[in-house]
Amino acid sequence: MSTLLKKAKNNKVSEGVSIVHNYSSAELDLNYIGFSVVEISKGYTYTIETKELELCVVMLSGTANVSDREETFSNIGQRKSVFDRIPTDSVYISRDKHVQIEATSDIKIICCFAPCNEQRPSELIKSEDNSVEDRGQYNNQRHVHNILPDTHKASENLLVVEVYTNQANWSSYPPHKHDQDNLPEESLLEETYYHEINPKQGFVFQRVYTDDRSLDETMAVENQDAVVVPRGYHPVGVPDGYDAYYLNIMAGPKKTWKFNNDKDHEWILNRK
């Protein structure tokens, strides 16, 4: 199995709390990104020590109270499922904080981590604060919720975005990359993908490859799996009959998203 493909698990760590994914940057062989996906039953609590990291808690589904011991954001969350296809609430919390997440319904969250040098104010990122856009044409169409884009001032390094791709469409396509610290031409951003699929027995394909093919892996990705993109291009193909969701975490030495397309495939943007 590819080392870039992280299979979903269901590890019960305490009463009412199960871990689907939980990775530090070192465990992902990355420098900037860690993440966890956690399911919490109504009435139970999950705690996090941010230490030297900043954190974005995204309410994938359900509602919760999120506290950093100084401020509490109550009853946040907008969806019963990511496939409600509406923006959700998220909370940004900086380094050196004790975080408590209390489920006010059954919930699923993703916790996005990146290194952080300075302590910043905690901030509720409301669903209505997400910028929403549609990208692509033909069979290259997707619907995007920008949670923490590179223009958002809350985070020091984190970028977070969620994307919906309809059946029989491609996403992150034409293939693009952002693995060179060479601004203004290109930025260096590591990336991870957390995938959900509707109906959940489906799968998508994701390829991660470099120009010289020193990295070239194609994976069948199932519901709740994750994919690590340390470098290179990273397109996603969605089969007929299934709709796809993924949440991207990006981070690097500079909080700027500047990518370049694979020149062999860039021609599709100019079709008539």
Side-chain angles (χ1 to χ4, degrees), residues 216-235:
D216 190 356
E217 299 190 19
T218 301
M219 295 152 276
V221 183
E222 297 179 302
N223 188 54
Q224 293 191 292
D225 288 350
V227 172
V228 181
V229 183
R231 63 190 185 279
Y233 308 99
H234 37 275

Side-chain angles (χ1 to χ4, degrees), residues 110-178:
I110 184 165
C111 301
C112 315
F113 298 97
C116 181
N117 291 317
E118 63 179 37
Q119 194 170 81
R120 294 176 170 225
S122 296
E123 182 174 329
L124 174 62
I125 305 169
K126 297 179 181 179
S127 59
E128 57 264 33
D129 294 335
N130 287 204
S131 60
V132 176
E133 59 183 308
D134 293 300
R135 300 176 187 163
Q137 58 182 343
Y138 305 108
N139 288 90
N140 176 30
Q141 296 186 50
R142 56 268 197 218
H143 183 70
V144 179
H145 299 159
N146 293 299
I147 298 170
L148 266 180
D150 57 359
T151 54
H152 202 295
K153 303 299 184 183
S155 65
E156 183 175 322
N157 290 302
L158 270 174
L159 295 87
V160 181
V161 61
E162 54 184 10
V163 178
Y164 294 88
T165 310
N166 293 336
Q167 57 182 299
N169 273 259
W170 285 79
S171 198
S172 296
Y173 194 81
H176 70 265
K177 71 179 184 76
H178 35 75

